[in-house]
Amino acid sequence: MARTGVWRVGLMFVALLAVLAALVAWLNVRGEVPLEPGPADGAANPATVARGAYLARAGNCIGCHTARGGAEYAGGRGIDTPFGTVYASNLTPDRDTGLGAWTAAEFWRALHHGRSRDGRLLYPAFPYPNFTLVTREDSDALYAFLQSLPPVRQANRAHELRFPYNLQASLAVWRALYFRPASFEARPEQSAQWNRGSYLVRGLGHCVACHATRNLLGATDGDIELGGGLIPMQNWYAPSLARAQEAGVADWSLSDIVALLGSGISPRGSVMGPMAEVVYRSTQHLSEPDLRAMAVYLKTLPQQPPAKRKPVEPASAELMRLGGKIYADRCAACHGESGEGVAGIYPPLAGNRAVTMASPNNLIKAVLHGGFPPATRGNPRPFGMPPFKQVLSEHEVAAVASYVRQSWGHEAAAVSALDVHHAR
């Protein structure tokens, strides 16, 4: 009898596994339909290719799919993740190593369903959870542009992921939990301009890939759209676009938002770090109507109330004295003795929300590595801040960061040497 009971439990367990496996398999093919040829198959007209080139800029495809010193779009760039390194693929039309043998429908399936030409599931370092919103028309234009590029014979490098993240079965479970193919649906109560901005921000722009927290399995987490998060492996903090004390722009003018996206600087702030690369490679190349549409959308994001913070403990007098001395010696000449900055040249630090965010990472990064807005058509010769990692110890970086975060009426938490060590 006991043996019969064990067999029954075993059979029930096997049956449960079979049901779960079937469910995972179904969730990974839901919404997929037979591949259909598109107008991009064959020779594309110049207008379609030009439109695809523009869309590739909007998606910053070149940013990931070009290795340093390598041919454009030929892949090979390693993208570090908490699970190992993912290598970007070759998007040039080489038949053996790139997209030369792909059809427009297969390319669409990769964007919309996250599935490669041979049926393999793609890792979401390629942001198909966002690209799934891209229309078939735009996908075909992107395909036409990529097919127009000079073919580069460069074999794709195998990903270097740890077990079990290197298994297709594990990826299938992840997709069953966190990915669902979708289509962009315009909201009829909003203007055409707002909907265009929503499409760019949520789809090709894949802004949420940085401006959101991620759970332990790397899926974007949280109920707040564009609510901010630490960029994995880079330790830059992508601030919340839904909080006024971080990077919300609800109270900005449209022209100031457009200026920031188009040139990297505006009267209300400037960009640096990973966002500087986005502006340099992507948004500065977008049309003024598209930038304005994005600005309209970003201004209407539901704003969250200020996050509750614990009472701030003042930094020690010794740390503030050291930080004040470093600031006077190395920072005040540009940023002013009272943190007032110089309009249009050096940003003010007094009242600067980038300085007082709960996460001090971006301030620490700027002190260590320097602060450099991108060189753009609207700001071809930006003023930059030199790096201090070679001349300041971690304790000294913590001291000057603490001084800035607790001077001129600021009430942000002090920075420790351990914070600096983690951020760098």
Side-chain angles (χ1 to χ4, degrees), residues 357-416:
M357 287 189 296
S359 170
N361 281 39
N362 294 357
L363 175 61
I364 293 170
K365 288 280 194 180
V367 175
L368 288 172
H369 304 296
F372 299 95
T376 59
R377 288 173 296 180
N379 186 33
R381 295 182 179 179
F383 290 89
M385 170 182 161
F388 291 99
K389 66 178 179 180
Q390 302 297 337
V391 295
L392 296 180
S393 68
E394 290 183 349
H395 178 66
E396 289 171 324
V397 172
V400 71
S402 296
Y403 176 81
V404 169
R405 284 167 64 83
Q406 294 195 355
S407 295
W408 316 307
H410 295 166
E411 296 182 355
V415 177
S416 69

Side-chain angles (χ1 to χ4, degrees), residues 286-369:
L286 300 187
S287 67
E288 199 277 340
D290 274 350
L291 290 177
R292 187 162 287 268
M294 293 171 70
V296 167
Y297 175 74
L298 293 173
K299 267 184 71 70
T300 63
L301 286 176
Q303 295 296 292
Q304 302 299 307
K308 292 182 179 180
R309 294 187 182 181
K310 297 178 181 178
V312 172
E313 207 173 299
S316 68
E318 179 186 354
L319 193 69
M320 290 295 284
R321 278 196 299 271
L322 176 59
K325 183 179 185 306
I326 296 170
Y327 183 87
D329 291 344
R330 301 187 180 277
C331 312
C334 295
H335 292 290
E337 293 182 3
S338 299
E340 69 275 14
V342 178
I345 302 177
Y346 305 117
L349 300 181
N352 190 325
R353 60 188 181 176
V355 167
T356 58
M357 287 189 296
S359 170
N361 281 39
N362 294 357
L363 175 61
I364 293 170
K365 288 280 194 180
V367 175
L368 288 172
H369 304 296

